[in-house]
Every structure is written in structure tokens, then in C-alpha cells.
Amino acid sequence: MWSTFKAMLLINLREKSGLFWLVCFPVLLASLVQGVFGSIDTYNAIEPVPVAVVRDDQWNRAYGVQQFTDSLSGTASASDDAGDESTDGQGATTLIRVTETTDRPAADTLLQNGDVKAILSTDGEGRIMMTVSDTVAGAMSSANAGGGDAEAITISALGNVIDTFNVHGAIIDDAITRKLAAQPQLATDPSFWQQITQDANAGTKGGQTYVKDVALTHFTPESMARYHFALLGMASMLSMLFTCVSLTLLQPNQTASGIRVAVSPLPQSRKVLGVFLSGWLMSFLSLIVAFLFIRFALGISVGGREPLAIVGLLVATFASSAMGLALGAIPGLSLSAKNGVAIALSTGLSMLAGLMGTFSMHLNDTIQAHAPVVHLISPVKQVSNLFYDLLYYDSLAPFLQTVAILLIMSAMGLAAAVAMLRRQRYEHL
């Protein structure tokens, strides 16, 4: 067994083309993905945008609108952080940079000249109205559809916040009207007006604001993490070639060396075990190189759970080696055909897992929402899930569940390989 292990290990190490595709290719692809999609954070970030505020008589009469804009611009806080214009002194997100005007024509001029991206004004009922140019409106539509630049995303978020403010204002105004109509004595009750004031100023009192960054997980993930996790899934699937090629080289009907090995006194089971162990080791080493490059060179973390990620790589490469053994055991299929099948499966399943850009990622999300069984039987997706589970969940239960799924896939691959190898007989060598 160990002689076969050493021989196959040396063959894999000496095969330069195999080492390139299984060791260098994932590193090069990770660098390419980072270079192409690495600026995605700048397109999804909230950045303050310049707006013009028409501070006329209607604006001054409208209750709460000035406090509202002060909160969104960060001027309500006396301890602003000058080092980061996107946040105020208490870490809340700043949406706008305000330029005040006294009439609407001056604001229109600023908008037409491109000095501001939107105009904020009030109507006769105290509601805030936002006016944007046609260009900005088109960019907002793109942002709502999943694209657009940072300014368009910010203005779209600003529109949602303004809608919320107007709705809450209408509710409070209606509450005052109805309550005072039913109980006029409340007009002289200080606690009534105090409660109304607190409701109207909700979001600005006590240093709070209308928009805040909230972390839902124990660790803030990188936006590029999902692409690199899908890449690790594809690299794991490609590494099945180590066992596939090694086992094919031992088959008498494929190579001359296979004829010599077949007539050796070493039992078939030990030969196959040596092939499997050498392939598993090579697969693990290739994925370790890719993972360490992604983790330390590209800075894609798994939330401080790197040791568990290494365990996940052991399981992932065990599964890929088992599937490679099953593919290599298929009788009558040439080595080039087996290589083609492995590459086609790896690239096809990686596209479904979200590796091939934005469209592929949307396809991945659609499958997860409407046909999750497709991802359940996809080894590329399950390897990706190993890292998702470590990054997004506090509990280790999802990680252990994914490990169990991969082990089941491994058992099925090994069972298929044993069944095919036991039935193989050769009329002559």
C-alpha cells in the first residue's frame, strides 16, 4: 500500500500541468476575481450626497423637518468625527450634506448645475418632498434593481427614510386630532404633549439617528467572501483529478504501467487505498494553498475560525477524493474523457454556486430560494457552505450538518468505486 502511495505521490508532484491547474490556477483565479469584483464595496456603500434644502416659510412652519435633516446630516451631534465624513461622532451613518437656500429657483439652479443631487422642500401640510434629476432617477432605479453607484443607493435610501418620516408624521398628526377631539382636556395636560413630542422626535433624541449600521452576525463579512467560497468549492471539485488520474494509471486497459501493476502480488484493495490516500493528501495540500492565499493575501476572513476551516478542508478533500475514485473506476472511459467530465462538473456546478459573476450569484440565490435540493446534492455548493456556516452562524450546528452531507457524498462515492472495481475483469493483458 505504501509503495503505491509513494509512487502515486511522486507522479502527482512531477506532473507539472496537473500541479498548475490544481495549485496555481485557484490562486490565479482568486486574484482575478478579487481584481474584477474587489471594488464591489464602493458600489454598495452608503456615502453622503449633497442636497439642497429650500428653507422657506413652509419649511420653518413644518414641525420636525429641521431636526430630521440635521439628524441625517450629522449636524445634530456636537461631537462630529472629522476623520470620516460618512459617519457622525457616534458612529451613525450620515446620508446627506446640506446646502440651504431660501427659495426654490435657487435650489433648481444648484440641481441643474450638478452641485447637488436632490432638493428637499415641504408642501402645505408639512410633508417633505424630494426632487431629483432624470439622470439620478434612472440611477436610483438601477440601484433598486441591484446595481447603481454609491450615490444612487444613498439617494434611494434617503427616499425611503423620507417616506417613513412623512408616514409617521401623518400618524402623529392624526393621533393629536382624534385625541383632542375626543378629549379636549388633554390640551392642558403636559404629559400628553410630552409624549407627542417624544414620538415626533423619535430617532433624534439621545444621540440616535434615522439610519444606523447594525451587525446581525458575530463578524462583519467581506462582500467578496461568497465569490471566494465558491472558488474553494470549485477547487475542491477539481482536486478529484488526483485520485481519478492515479486510479486510471493502475488500470491495465488504460496504460502499460497498469498492466505491470496488475500482475504484481499486491492486493487490489491496498493499491486502491494507496491511490486514495495519496490523492487525498494532494487535494488537501492544493486547497490549503488556495485557502491561505485567500485568507492572508486577499484578506478574506472566516471570522476567526480558521482551525475549523482547516477541518472543513479535510472533509471537503475527502469527499472530492472519493468522487474522483468513483470517476476513475468507470470502465471503458479514457483518461482524457474522465478529465473532461471532472472539469465540466467543476465549472458547471461552480456557476450554479455563484462563482461566475453577478448573474451567477443571482442564479445561486434563485436556486437556494426555489430549488434548494439542487444545492443539497451539489458538492461545490456544500463545500462553499462549510465557510458560510462558520462565517454567518454563531452555532456550529449548520457546519456539522454540512460536514455530514459531505461525508454521505463520500460514502456514496467510495461505495460506487468499490462496486465498479470488484466487477472489473480483463480477458487478456
Side-chain angles (χ1 to χ4, degrees):
M1 180 188 75
W2 292 114
S3 60
T4 305
F5 172 82
K6 294 176 183 179
M8 291 305 168
L9 195 61
L10 289 175
I11 290 175
N12 287 324
L13 289 173
R14 290 171 179 173
E15 184 62 36
K16 295 180 180 179
S17 61
L19 287 178
F20 171 80
W21 286 108
L22 296 169
V23 178
C24 300
F25 177 71
V27 172
L28 295 175
L29 186 57
S31 302
L32 179 62
V33 168
Q34 188 70 21
V36 174
F37 302 106
S39 60
I40 194 171
D41 284 334
T42 62
Y43 293 98
N44 293 326
I46 294 293
E47 294 183 357
V49 296
V51 301
V53 171
V54 182
R55 193 166 184 178
D56 53 10
D57 292 337
Q58 285 189 163
W59 181 276
N60 293 328
R61 287 195 301 269
Y63 181 80
V65 296
Q66 188 60 44
Q67 292 90 336
F68 175 80
T69 55
D70 287 345
S71 174
L72 294 183
S73 64
T75 57
S77 174
S79 58
D80 289 350
D81 184 0
D84 185 0
E85 65 173 359
S86 66
T87 59
D88 65 13
Q90 297 173 349
T93 302
T94 300
L95 283 181
I96 59 176
R97 296 194 305 270
V98 173
T99 300
E100 292 188 354
T101 62
T102 57
D103 53 40
R104 182 57 185 260
D108 289 336
T109 301
L110 291 174
L111 183 63
Q112 293 173 2
N113 294 337
D115 297 327
V116 297
K117 299 298 182 181
I119 298 174
L120 301 183
S121 60
T122 54
D123 60 10
E125 298 181 3
R127 293 190 296 262
I128 298 178
M129 299 183 298
M130 183 174 69
T131 305
V132 298
S133 65
D134 293 339
T135 302
V136 174
M140 290 172 60
S141 299
S142 177
N144 292 331
D149 56 17
E151 284 188 344
I153 293 174
T154 303
I155 295 176
S156 181
L158 176 61
N160 293 332
V161 173
I162 289 174
D163 290 341
T164 302
F165 177 84
N166 289 334
V167 169
H168 288 177
I171 293 174
I172 293 173
D173 181 66
D174 181 66
I176 292 176
T177 303
R178 288 187 295 102
K179 287 185 178 180
L180 289 182
Q183 304 179 52
Q185 67 275 14
L186 290 177
T188 59
D189 185 357
S191 62
F192 169 75
W193 294 108
Q194 182 179 7
Q195 182 62 43
I196 293 297
T197 302
Q198 290 176 354
D199 293 339
N201 291 332
T204 60
K205 188 174 181 180
Q208 298 178 354
T209 59
Y210 288 91
V211 181
K212 278 191 174 182
D213 292 325
V214 179
L216 300 179
T217 60
H218 70 283
F219 176 79
T220 302
E222 298 286 341
S223 59
M224 291 297 300
R226 60 192 312 192
Y227 293 101
H228 291 294
F229 293 166
L231 171 61
L232 288 173
M234 186 191 75
S236 172
M237 193 68 178
L238 275 175
S239 67
M240 67 189 292
L241 286 172
F242 283 119
T243 51
C244 175
V245 172
S246 298
L247 184 61
T248 303
L249 293 177
L250 294 184
Q251 293 176 324
N253 62 337
Q254 296 288 343
T255 63
S257 61
I259 298 176
R260 293 192 296 269
V261 174
V263 297
S264 67
L266 187 67
Q268 178 79 349
S269 59
R270 294 188 181 182
K271 300 174 189 175
V272 174
L273 183 58
V275 166
F276 177 78
L277 292 178
S278 66
W280 184 15
L281 177 59
M282 289 297 300
S283 300
F284 178 69
L285 292 178
S286 68
L287 254 69
I288 280 291
V289 172
F291 173 74
L292 293 179
F293 179 81
I294 291 172
R295 172 61 186 90
F296 295 103
L298 302 182
I300 307 299
S301 177
V302 289
R305 292 177 166 179
E306 282 75 13
L308 287 174
I310 299 299
V311 174
L313 290 178
L314 277 171
V315 176
T317 51
F318 183 85
S320 64
S321 299
M323 287 182 280
L325 203 66
L327 179 60
I330 297 177
L333 199 62
S334 66
L335 179 58
S336 59
K338 293 175 182 179
N339 287 339
V341 170
I343 294 173
L345 283 175
S346 302
T347 54
L349 294 177
S350 63
M351 184 185 70
L352 299 181
L355 177 61
M356 310 300 181
T358 305
F359 170 78
S360 178
M361 197 58 70
H362 288 321
L363 179 61
N364 165 70
D365 296 338
T366 302
I367 293 174
Q368 186 63 42
H370 302 289
V373 67
V374 175
H375 282 337
L376 183 63
I377 61 176
S378 169
V380 172
K381 182 60 179 178
Q382 292 305 317
V383 173
S384 302
N385 284 347
L386 286 173
F387 303 95
Y388 279 117
D389 297 340
L390 293 177
L391 189 59
Y392 291 102
Y393 294 97
D394 294 329
S395 171
L396 291 180
F399 175 76
L400 296 177
Q401 179 180 347
T402 305
V403 167
I405 293 173
L406 287 171
L407 290 178
I408 292 174
M409 291 182 179
S410 305
M412 295 174 63
L414 292 174
V418 170
M420 285 185 286
L421 289 173
R422 289 185 63 183
R423 293 178 179 272
Q424 289 183 9
R425 297 292 184 271
Y426 304 97
E427 185 177 354
H428 59 83
L429 296 178

